[in-house]
């Protein structure tokens, strides 16, 4: 006759524990790999099965910790000295040097040593299932470099509840001695989701589609950068960011420096105004107008020097000095709002080495830049304004970008409310040292005016060459990398990218392959691989406008009203 089993009767089998239909199968860790990523346990545990994880940690007093560490170091040294260690020399050397490093850290109290109890308990409703699940867990651990063990005939000792004194005897593989970093890596929820209230959606985590919301206005810098190859989706991502920012804060003013004229139709569809430099529609911006520095004429003179150097990169030192002197005089003695004709007259009057300079400045009188010679007439009052550089000769782009940046910066300092300045193809501003310095200054100071920049460029390396570029990059709170053809070792170390991240970026999927862009965001200290995804209405608006130039001419209704 078969004995009837009480449902509550606990049965200890050699490799599992059973109470009625509840099977519990423990697994311990015999050996850790040399390195584990933070939060790895969260990725190791399945989301669809129940696995109990117990981690108990007891700090080892510093004196004992030092003794332990130096003991380990001494053992490694002794074994090394004795030789004949069966090919373990390299391993022992690593042990010795890491023990000595750890000893220093413990002595300095930057690391503690912990007695850590660690056990996994797989649960299921029958024996086959519990064993199969435990095998799979053991395999996943092995892939990450862990060696695990089943505490055979030691089930009860493994499963008793922790006593919190850390003194109980446990099967081997239960207790470990780990430094603080190692313990921190065990924290199972390496939760990298960011959900800042009032933030905008950056994207969905590539690992589990959890959304990431970041509030630009709640951090030390309001400026972000987006880097990626042509076609990786930078302009699209930037436009999405603009739309979402204005959705959260409709009073946000936006200015766009748009070298390729990609945003024109979008800006018009948002009721904004567009200044088209090459055509002169939307009005003239007088690069010499001191309104951009709120009348600070010295500062204006310095910025004019910067833009002129971007226009004439071949100027010799003495010509630069002569031009600077003429510009300084122009703002000291010249008319309230000078024009290029005034500048040219000043250069001609001074006469000294001015002849070649005067010839160069002809471009504003009879050459391709004559439309700039005159007072400012563009006074857009719309909330969204873009400057379209299409049709501007390539060798003049840096110059146009520089004075338009000066203009946009001036606008930022004067408009009320939150402001965003988007600069696409920003590498054009990194071509010349002095332009880059000005650009860096803008990035460092805009926050004081409740403004942030969105800097878009193809290759972060363009900004790593000079201190000003590096400073600019450091002042971006969030930096996104979309597909990059390659990641230089400079970029890798500057941005603290892991090798895996750097190897992945050239393989990040493109929007034309997937319908969204894959990206890696550095947000503060976090590294977040995200899919940049638009909702249907966002996609429809951007698909219909972004990169599409409208043929219908803009009406000039939004012209003169208000100051700059
Ligand atoms: N997140 C996205 N979702 C859907 N389509 C996108 C996305 N990003 C870019 N695209 C599309 O991919 C193409 C290239 O994007 P674009 O933003 O112009 O790239 P980039 O500015 O980096 O050269 C465009 O046709 C754009 O509409
Ligand atoms: Mg683009």
């Amino acid at each position: 006759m078969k004995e009837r089993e009480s449902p509550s009767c606990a049965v200890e089998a050699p490799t599992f524990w059973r109470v009625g239909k509840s099977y519990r199968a423990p697994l311990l860790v015999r050996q850790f790999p040399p390195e584990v990523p933070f939060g790895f346990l969260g990725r190791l545990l399945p989301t669809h099965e129940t696995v109990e994880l117990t981690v108990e940690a007891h700090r080892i007093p510093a004196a004992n910790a030092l003794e332990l560490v130096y003991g380990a170091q001494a053992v490694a040294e002794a074994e090394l000295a004795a030789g004949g260690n069966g090919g373990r020399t390299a391993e022992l050397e690593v042990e010795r040097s890491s023990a000595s490093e750890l000893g220093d850290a413990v002595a300095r109290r930057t690391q503690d040593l912990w007695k850590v109890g660690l056990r996994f308990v797989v649960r299921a409703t029958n024996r086959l299932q519990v064993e199969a699940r435990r095998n799979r867990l053991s395999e996943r651990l092995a892939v990450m470099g862990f060696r695990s063990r089943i505490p055979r005939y030691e089930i009860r000792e493994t499963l008793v509840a922790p006593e919190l004194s850390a003194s109980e005897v446990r099967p081997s593989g239960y207790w470990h001695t780990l430094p603080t970093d190692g313990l921190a890596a065990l924290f199972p929820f390496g939760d990298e989701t960011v959900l800042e209230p009032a933030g905008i959606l950056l994207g969905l985590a590539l690992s589990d589609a959890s959304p990431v919301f970041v509030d630009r206005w709640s951090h030390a810098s309001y400026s972000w950068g987006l880097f990626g190859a042509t076609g990786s989706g930078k302009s699209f991502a930037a436009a999405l960011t603009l739309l979402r920012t204005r959705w959260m804060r409709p009073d946000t003013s936006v200015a766009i420096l748009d070298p390729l004229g990609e945003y024109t139709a979008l800006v018009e569809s948002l009721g904004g105004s567009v200044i088209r430099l090459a055509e002169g529609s939307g009005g003239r911006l007088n690069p010499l107008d001191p309104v951009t520095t709120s009348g600070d004429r010295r500062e204006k003179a310095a910025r004019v020097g910067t833009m002129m150097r971007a226009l004439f990169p071949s100027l010799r030192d003495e010509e630069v000095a002569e031009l600077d002197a003429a510009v300084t005089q122009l703002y000291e003695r010249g008319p309230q709002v000078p024009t290029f004709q005034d500048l040219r007259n000043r250069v001609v009057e001074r006469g000294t080495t001015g002849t070649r300079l005067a010839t160069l400045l002809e471009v504003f009188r009879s050459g391709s830049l004559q439309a700039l010679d005159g007072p400012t007439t563009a006074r857009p009052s719309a909330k969204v304004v873009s400057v379209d550089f299409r049709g501007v000769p390539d060798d003049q782009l840096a110059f146009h970008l520089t004075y338009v940046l000066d203009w946009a910066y001036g606008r930022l300092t004067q408009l009320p409310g939150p402001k965003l300045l988007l600069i696409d193809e920003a590498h054009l501003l990194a071509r010349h040292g002095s332009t880059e310095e000005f650009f860096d200054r803008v990035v460092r100071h805009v926050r004081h005016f409740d403004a942030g920049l969105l800097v878009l460029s193809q290759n972060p390396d363009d900004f790593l060459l000079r201190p000003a570029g590096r400073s600019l990059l450091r002042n971006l709170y969030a930096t996104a990398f979309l597909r990059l053809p390659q990641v230089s070792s400079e970029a890798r170390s500057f941005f603290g990218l892991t090798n895996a991240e750097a190897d992945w970026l050239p393989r990040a999927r493109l929007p034309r392959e997937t319908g969204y862009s894959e990206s890696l965001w550095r947000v503060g200290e976090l590294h977040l691989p995200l899919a940049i995804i638009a909702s249907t209405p966002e996609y429809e608006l951007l698909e219909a406008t972004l990169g599409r130039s409208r043929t219908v001419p803009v009406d000039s209704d939004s012209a003169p009203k208000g100051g700059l």
Side-chain angles (χ1 to χ4, degrees):
M1 208 175 83
K2 220 174 138 192
E3 217 179 303
R4 260 193 75 196
E5 200 173 81
S6 145
S8 61
C9 167
V11 177
E12 184 185 3
T15 59
F16 59 87
W17 184 269
R18 172 166 73 85
V19 179
K21 283 202 158 193
S22 165
Y23 286 71
R24 299 174 74 213
L27 190 68
L28 299 174
V29 172
R30 193 148 48 97
Q31 199 185 344
F32 278 69
E35 253 182 64
V36 287
F38 280 89
F40 74 96
L41 283 176
R43 272 165 258 159
L44 191 80
L45 300 175
T47 49
H48 56 286
E49 299 170 359
T50 309
V51 176
E52 267 174 47
L53 166 69
T54 312
V55 182
E56 55 175 312
H58 308 270
R59 195 164 66 80
I60 299 174
N64 303 5
L66 276 176
E67 222 172 275
L68 274 174
V69 174
Y70 291 137
Q73 188 179 348
V75 168
E77 270 162 15
E79 278 193 49
L80 277 169
N85 51 46
R88 285 185 64 228
T89 307
E91 196 183 320
L92 287 168
E93 273 166 1
V94 172
E95 262 172 47
R96 175 178 57 184
S97 72
S98 62
S100 121
E101 264 174 46
L102 183 58
D104 292 346
V106 171
R108 278 184 278 116
R109 297 302 306 271
T110 53
Q111 292 271 329
D112 279 312
L113 223 49
W114 301 80
K115 181 173 183 182
V116 177
L118 178 66
R119 86 181 167 205
F120 297 93
V121 181
V122 178
R123 303 212 322 218
T125 52
N126 65 59
R127 179 182 174 164
L128 279 179
Q129 204 177 39
V130 87
E131 297 283 13
R133 287 182 180 180
R134 176 165 54 188
N135 283 342
R136 284 201 299 273
L137 178 61
S138 165
E139 279 160 17
R140 286 197 299 276
L141 279 164
V143 167
M144 304 190 82
F146 288 84
R147 307 238 296 258
S148 57
R149 74 175 285 264
I150 296 171
R152 189 174 281 274
Y153 294 109
E154 294 171 315
I155 298 300
R156 183 184 298 269
E157 298 86 324
T158 306
L159 292 182
V160 292
E163 264 176 30
L164 304 182
S165 67
S167 57
E168 73 268 26
V169 176
R170 293 284 194 175
S172 83
Y174 184 90
W175 291 118
H176 301 273
T177 307
L178 296 177
T180 306
D181 279 351
L183 173 62
L186 290 182
F187 191 71
F189 311 106
D191 184 2
E192 293 190 330
T193 51
V194 185
L195 296 170
E196 296 180 352
I200 63 158
L201 179 68
L202 293 192
L204 304 183
L206 289 175
S207 57
D208 60 6
S210 57
V212 170
F213 288 85
V214 173
D215 178 9
R216 166 191 309 275
W217 313 107
S218 71
H219 298 283
S221 157
Y222 301 159
S223 297
W224 297 356
L226 295 170
F227 296 94
T230 302
S232 61
K234 298 181 297 298
S235 301
F236 191 96
L240 260 186
T241 305
L242 287 185
L243 293 176
R244 291 173 180 173
T245 302
R246 278 173 50 82
W247 175 251
M248 293 307 293
R249 293 187 71 172
D251 57 332
T252 307
S253 305
V254 173
I256 304 176
L257 271 57
D258 181 11
L260 304 179
E262 292 173 89
Y263 300 84
T264 295
L266 172 66
V267 168
E268 286 169 356
S269 77
L270 296 174
S273 34
V274 179
I275 297 170
R276 291 181 171 85
L277 289 183
E279 291 169 21
S281 70
R284 176 198 300 119
L285 299 173
N286 172 16
L288 303 185
D289 194 333
V291 71
T292 62
T293 56
S294 305
D296 180 340
R297 298 176 78 84
R298 265 220 249 191
E299 172 63 22
K300 183 68 194 187
R303 291 192 202 168
V304 170
T306 299
M307 62 184 78
M308 298 309 282
R309 279 192 286 278
L311 181 61
F312 304 127
S314 67
L315 287 185
R316 295 187 292 267
D317 287 351
E318 65 275 17
E319 289 167 333
V320 170
E322 176 56 24
L323 180 62
D324 281 348
V327 168
T328 304
Q329 271 189 6
L330 181 69
Y331 284 96
E332 279 169 4
R333 309 181 200 159
Q336 190 60 30
V337 180
T339 61
F340 279 106
Q341 186 180 350
D342 300 318
L343 175 59
R344 197 172 161 279
N345 291 344
R346 185 67 52 183
V347 167
V348 171
E349 271 167 36
R350 290 173 53 86
T352 46
T353 57
T355 39
R356 192 175 92 105
L357 263 185
T359 315
L360 286 173
L361 290 172
E362 269 298 315
V363 72
F364 294 103
R365 194 164 72 166
S366 53
S368 56
L369 295 173
Q370 55 181 309
L372 290 181
D373 189 8
T376 297
T377 56
R379 300 188 191 281
S381 60
K383 277 268 182 218
V384 182
V385 176
S386 73
V387 181
D388 179 338
F389 295 72
R390 227 170 345 162
V392 165
D394 186 65
D395 61 342
Q396 288 178 358
L397 266 173
F399 163 69
H400 283 286
L401 268 160
T402 309
Y403 76 79
V404 177
L405 177 62
D406 171 39
W407 168 79
Y409 182 38
R411 220 174 113 85
L412 291 182
T413 63
Q414 290 152 24
L415 283 177
K419 289 151 294 249
L420 262 189
L421 172 59
L422 189 166
I423 304 183
D424 208 334
E425 307 293 342
H427 58 92
L428 294 167
L429 287 168
R431 277 188 190 167
H432 307 287
S434 58
T435 320
E436 194 173 43
E437 279 162 29
F438 175 50
F439 192 11
D440 168 43
R441 225 149 29 93
V442 173
V443 174
R444 276 187 285 126
H445 292 301
V446 285
R447 187 190 189 282
H448 305 306
F449 310 109
D450 210 5
L453 263 71
L454 212 47
V455 176
L456 276 59
S457 206
Q458 291 168 23
N459 192 337
D461 291 349
D462 294 337
F463 292 90
L464 287 171
L465 300 173
R466 284 183 282 255
R470 300 169 79 90
S471 155
L472 182 153
L473 293 177
R474 267 193 292 275
N475 282 292
L476 303 173
Y477 173 70
T479 311
F481 302 100
L482 290 80
R483 159 91 68 102
L484 289 172
Q486 66 198 36
V487 182
S488 68
S489 55
E490 291 77 25
R492 203 173 287 210
S493 74
F494 183 86
F495 293 104
L497 301 180
T498 65
N499 289 341
E501 288 168 339
D503 293 343
W504 175 76
L505 281 171
R507 293 181 284 119
R509 280 186 268 182
L510 296 170
R512 66 165 169 272
E513 299 162 3
T514 47
Y516 56 87
S517 350
E518 288 190 340
S519 58
L520 176 70
W521 287 75
R522 275 176 83 258
V523 179
E525 298 294 307
L526 293 176
H527 291 204
L528 308 167
L530 301 181
I532 302 173
I533 293 183
S535 65
T536 302
E538 286 170 330
Y539 181 79
E540 284 173 351
L541 172 62
L542 295 182
E543 198 46 31
T545 55
L546 203 63
R548 312 261 181 283
S549 42
R550 274 212 341 210
T551 42
V552 192
V554 218
D555 61 24
S556 48
D557 267 357
S558 54
K561 252 187 269 161
L564 269 179

